[in-house]
Amino acid sequence: MDQQLDIVVGPDLAWRWKDEDHLKRSVELGWITPDEASGVWPEGERVISLIEARAPPFDNSWTHWRPDPAWAIPQLNKNWNAIPPAWRYYTLRTQLAGV
């Protein structure tokens, strides 16, 4: 489940919070409870501690990873075009922004 709160991390590992207002609005709309929302912050802080410690996956140990050449190339589901239209995403973003 998307908890609405994001951490943007740059190549230099500088970070910033993103979408704090979306988390607050999710509570206002009743999508998550205040208790659930308050639990999101400690998890964000835990991730920030990994970023600042340059711990995996923020330690660049994965940058040379390549998939096994024997793996099959993934194929789109035959109903790939049945994904909900973009207007639903727009509607969600509008509700989160309080517009």
Side-chain angles (χ1 to χ4, degrees), residues 8-87:
V8 177
V9 183
D12 62 352
L13 297 185
W15 62 268
R16 66 177 173 84
W17 292 111
K18 179 180 175 222
D19 297 336
E20 304 97 319
D21 55 330
H22 291 190
L23 180 61
K24 180 181 176 188
R25 185 74 174 140
S26 293
V27 173
E28 291 169 358
L29 291 170
W31 294 352
I32 62 173
T33 68
D35 285 344
E36 289 170 327
S38 67
V40 172
W41 291 100
E43 180 60 14
E45 295 290 344
R46 185 188 71 79
V47 172
I48 289 168
S49 70
L50 294 175
I51 296 166
E52 291 177 342
R54 294 181 166 35
F58 303 102
D59 64 349
N60 289 328
S61 62
W62 61 271
T63 57
H64 299 295
W65 180 88
R66 299 292 180 266
D68 185 330
W71 291 354
I73 296 174
Q75 301 295 314
L76 286 175
N77 180 298
K78 67 179 182 173
N79 295 320
W80 68 269
N81 60 344
I83 296 172
W87 66 264

